[in-house]
Amino acid sequence: MCHPAWGRALAQDQRLKDLVRLRRVRDRIDRAYAQPLNMEALARRVNWPAGHLSRQFRLAYGQSPYAFLMTRRVERAKALLRGGDLTVAEIGFLVGYSSQGVFRTRFTELVGMTPGAYRFGVAAATGTPPIPVRNGEAFLAEPELA
């Protein structure tokens, strides 16, 4: 028979390995946010069934892989909207939405205003037009919107 401490050590070791797997999936989603989410392919990368991956991801990060992807896309879109160089439609396509309507809907759900209103609010709050963001990836401090 095993000593109880050994069982706890093995369980802890497995949990750490699982967290490494989940981090790989999260990093992959973060890097490929403009691509469609393929849960089966992500699950194959870590040798888990897609359902198990989804459940473990939610337990570890508090949201599903799809919700994480939508959050990342909207974060990137907000940075690009602050830059002011691209149209709202171009930004939607650039961050991975194939439809401007879906982009507008998801953005509004997560931010509480449309992408155009967000861009206008940023310009109004700062008193100047939005300035370009280097490489489109820098995150500026969020302005206080009324």
Side-chain angles (χ1 to χ4, degrees), residues 8-24 46 48 56 60-61:
R8 285 191 299 274
L10 289 174
Q12 179 66 15
D13 183 54
Q14 185 60 49
R15 179 71 182 142
L16 291 175
K17 288 177 182 177
D18 290 350
L19 288 173
V20 167
R21 288 176 169 182
L22 290 170
R23 181 59 188 240
R24 274 192 233 134
V46 294
W48 278 349
Q56 293 302 312
Y61 298 113

Side-chain angles (χ1 to χ4, degrees), residues 55-86:
R55 283 186 300 277
Q56 293 302 312
F57 195 97
R58 184 183 297 273
L59 284 172
Y61 298 113
Q63 59 185 350
S64 70
Y66 180 77
F68 180 79
L69 174 64
M70 293 301 110
T71 301
R72 286 296 174 258
R73 285 180 175 175
V74 168
E75 287 173 358
R76 299 317 195 273
K78 286 169 64 177
L80 292 170
L81 286 165
R82 287 189 296 264
D85 292 347
L86 302 169

